[in-house]
Structure formats: structure tokens, C-alpha cells
Amino acid sequence: IERAHELVSSSSSSSFQHKQGDVWVASYVKSGTTWTIGILAALVGHPAAEYAGNLQKVTSQFCPQPELPDLGFGDDGFGHSMEQLNDWSGIDIGTNNRNYRCFKSHWPSKDHVVSNGKSKFIYVLRNAQDQLISHWNQVYG
């Protein structure tokens, strides 16, 4: 985890290009981030709504997570390069003839998830006890 943090700190926050209309879904782990992204995909008619339970597919095809660096696994990995993220085409929701990009983050205090005058934020909160039990079950269950 420390190595991943170093990779992100040195590359993503300094070179990530925010665009008007970016949507960030942010939360602590196991708080419903992927579930919320599935709802967002359904609302905008994106195919990701059909596979919202598949974290890897959703992250790689609909709502990437900038703090996950590209580890060189190609389609089998979660991460994207900064070039891929900056070129991310986004989703067309038929409003104002614009595409909106969706991003996921579990590090809301990092530089790339800050008020920047361009992005909109959805912050997901969950009961702390339920979040802890869910995380425990994922790691040890």
C-alpha cells in the first residue's frame, strides 16, 4: 500500500487534468462507492449498470480510480495511466451536448479530489459499524 501511495503521490495529483463536469464518487472503503456508481450508471443509461457488482469491470470501463496506478496488467488490472485518465471520454447523458467523466476515490483528502471549480462530488457515508463489519468480512471472512 505504501508503494502504491508513493506512485500516486508522485504522478497522479500533479498531472491529473480536471475538466468541467467531472463527477467524483468518493468515500471510505466498503461504504457503498461501487453501489453508488452502479446507480449513477443506471441513471445515465451506461452499460456499467448491468455489471455494477463487478468492481474490476466498472473501474476499468466506466468510473476509473486515479489513485490506482497502472501496474501493467492491461485489461486484467484496475489502474490506468495518467494519459488514459486525462483522455477519458466520459459519458454522454444528452445534456448540453457534453460528456461527463466519472471517477471513483477512497482518498477524498488527496490533491486530485479537491474543490476545483470544475468537478461535482458525491460523497458516500455509511454507518461506521456496518462499514467495519463489511470490511472485516471482505478481509477475513
Side-chain angles (χ1 to χ4, degrees):
I1 291 178
E2 190 171 312
R3 176 70 180 133
H5 178 70
E6 290 172 14
L7 289 169
V8 170
S9 297
S10 65
S11 64
S12 68
S13 63
S14 61
S15 61
F16 183 82
Q17 297 171 2
H18 294 276
K19 294 183 181 177
Q20 194 68 35
D22 283 353
V23 176
W24 289 85
V25 180
S27 73
Y28 192 73
V29 296
K30 302 306 292 177
S31 295
T33 320
T34 304
W35 178 73
T36 303
I37 291 167
I39 293 171
L40 180 62
L43 287 172
V44 300
H46 192 279
E50 298 296 321
Y51 49 81
N54 184 331
L55 173 64
Q56 186 172 358
K57 195 170 182 180
V58 168
T59 302
S60 67
Q61 298 181 11
F62 175 63
C63 198
Q65 194 169 349
E67 64 257 24
L68 294 178
D70 181 7
L71 300 175
F73 298 130
D75 290 339
D76 295 330
F78 287 91
H80 297 81
S81 69
M82 275 300 115
E83 287 178 358
Q84 289 173 310
L85 292 172
N86 288 329
D87 292 340
W88 198 257
S89 62
I91 51 178
D92 179 7
I93 60 173
T95 305
N96 301 327
N97 296 320
R98 289 186 19 202
N99 287 335
Y100 297 87
R101 302 184 309 169
C102 176
F103 296 102
K104 171 183 181 173
S105 181
H106 291 310
W107 290 348
S109 63
K110 296 307 292 176
D111 293 342
H112 59 269
V113 186
V114 294
S115 181
N116 55 49
K118 296 179 180 180
S119 301
K120 304 293 182 193
F121 298 88
I122 301 170
Y123 194 84
V124 183
L125 297 174
R126 184 177 184 187
N127 175 291
Q129 181 179 1
D130 293 339
Q131 181 275 330
L132 180 63
I133 291 169
S134 179
H135 194 235
W136 178 273
N137 287 333
Q138 180 185 21
V139 174
Y140 300 106

